[in-house]
Amino acid sequence: MKPTRAGTTENISVSMPAELVSELRARTGRRGLSSYITEAVRHQLAMDGLAEIVASHEEEHGALTEQEIETARRELFGEQDTRNIARGAA
């Protein structure tokens, strides 16, 4: 069995609605589709991990306060992005 290296890729088949695929191809071109989807999956996995952290914290300590949420936003996104999120421009 061949060991896998960092950066090794694997071809997979994914079914998606045709209109979504058309929109993706229009945005990325055929060659950029895999990269775009890879980054979208990485982002979603990171968001899932954050959700798990929050759920674990809230299970142990109760719901996060608005102040704790605002502090986390500043640490994650910086002051400027926090203002944009508050205005709904994220």
Side-chain angles (χ1 to χ4, degrees), residues 1 5 7 13 15 20 24 27 29-30 34-35 47-49 52-53 55 59 66-67 79 84 86 89:
M1 184 174 195
R5 302 181 320 262
S13 176
S15 297
L20 184 58
L24 282 168
R27 182 173 297 271
R30 274 193 173 292
S34 290
S35 295
M47 294 299 99
D48 292 349
E52 290 168 4
I53 291 167
E59 187 176 305
E66 285 300 317
Q67 183 178 4
E79 189 65 38
N84 289 336

Side-chain angles (χ1 to χ4, degrees), residues 19-30 33:
E19 65 274 4
L20 184 58
V21 174
S22 293
E23 189 174 339
L24 282 168
R25 283 194 174 129
R27 182 173 297 271
T28 66
R30 274 193 173 292
L33 189 62

